Amino acid sequence: AEYMGEVNSVLPYTSLRAANVDGVVEVLSLACLPELPHVLPVHHVSTLSIFDPSHPHPPEDPRPSNDPATGRRLLYESDPLDGWKGLGEGYAQSKYVAERLCMHAKDMGDLPVTVYRPGRICGHSQTGAGNEGDFFNLFVKGCVAMDAAPLLQWPVEMTPVDYACCVISQGVEHAAKAQLDESVPTPPRVYHIQNGSSSSLNVYFDILRQTGYTLDPLPYSEW
């Protein structure tokens, strides 16, 4: 069983609960129906946004907490999901609850659950085809329509959708083989799907200017 839910950066938790939380409850219930010959493996597409930005890196963890090159917080598959109060948007809140439900179901029984946490998914690496309604795409289209872009040093990380799909499909295949053949090593239960390289938003806008778009750089408050 595979479930992703609804992606929306504007709606509150109450509007996304039905798709992203209640939907997961239904999938978990279906995977454990007693009339099935065996429980079904569940593959849940979560997001890296479930990590509370205000929650500190575990002090007992010897691994680096920040990328020395960019200063960005490093997120590990084994990091605990202890914090949630700093999650500002309803989407992240709903995905946090959904993933906690998945982990609870896994810990309570023998339900095999695999979680995939993608970062910012962009268009196909070869064709560029992607989701035109994605928040970042709409943000860029708005800047183009205004002929202006904000001066921000925001890091922009993009993972091509075909790469993300490849990771998920291989994870599904590996889990299926492990369930049928005990000689197959148990696969990881959490995958982070994120481009290891990133750039700043200003660099991205400079690339657009090189292709012919007029984007006047403005301070964020003025933009």
Side-chain angles (χ1 to χ4, degrees):
E2 299 174 41
Y3 195 76
M4 181 172 180
E6 179 179 354
V7 181
N8 192 296
S9 301
V10 179
L11 293 178
Y13 172 84
T14 52
S15 299
L16 295 169
R17 175 175 175 173
N20 293 348
V21 178
D22 296 345
V24 167
V25 172
E26 291 298 320
V27 169
L28 295 173
S29 300
L30 289 171
C32 300
L33 287 176
E35 56 265 32
L36 293 174
H38 55 77
V39 295
L40 297 177
V42 173
H43 296 267
H44 175 64
V45 180
S46 184
T47 172
L48 287 172
S49 300
I50 61 170
F51 287 99
D52 185 346
S54 66
H55 196 70
H57 184 77
E60 67 278 6
D61 192 335
R63 296 173 298 183
S65 59
N66 296 91
D67 186 332
T70 64
R72 297 175 62 192
R73 178 184 175 185
L74 293 174
L75 302 173
Y76 299 96
E77 284 86 347
S78 58
D79 282 353
L81 298 180
D82 293 336
W84 60 270
K85 295 183 178 180
L87 301 178
E89 62 177 35
Y91 173 69
Q93 295 166 0
S94 68
K95 299 298 281 187
Y96 174 87
V97 174
E99 186 168 328
R100 289 301 296 262
L101 286 170
C102 288
M103 294 304 182
H104 180 70
K106 177 179 72 69
D107 294 338
M108 289 294 291
D110 296 326
L111 182 64
V113 176
T114 306
V115 174
Y116 307 88
R117 298 172 182 156
R120 183 179 304 283
I121 296 179
C122 65
H124 193 282
S125 62
Q126 301 299 316
T127 67
N131 179 13
E132 294 184 1
D134 174 76
F135 171 79
F136 187 76
N137 289 342
L138 293 176
F139 167 63
V140 172
K141 288 175 68 175
C143 292
V144 170
M146 296 167 61
D147 291 331
L151 287 168
L152 292 171
Q153 291 297 330
W154 283 352
V156 177
E157 168 270 326
M158 294 185 179
T159 301
V161 64
D162 50 313
Y163 175 82
C165 289
C166 182
V167 172
I168 295 173
S169 64
Q170 289 182 3
V172 172
E173 181 180 1
H174 190 172
K177 290 180 178 179
Q179 188 178 29
L180 298 174
D181 186 350
E182 294 183 355
S183 66
V184 177
T186 302
R189 289 308 179 195
V190 178
Y191 293 86
H192 284 184
I193 308 174
Q194 184 179 35
N195 194 330
S197 301
S198 65
S199 185
S200 74
L201 188 62
N202 290 336
V203 171
Y204 185 82
F205 285 136
D206 285 340
I207 295 174
L208 289 178
R209 292 185 183 100
Q210 293 171 12
T211 62
Y213 289 100
T214 300
L215 294 172
D216 293 333
L218 297 176
Y220 180 70
S221 57
E222 183 178 345
W223 178 83

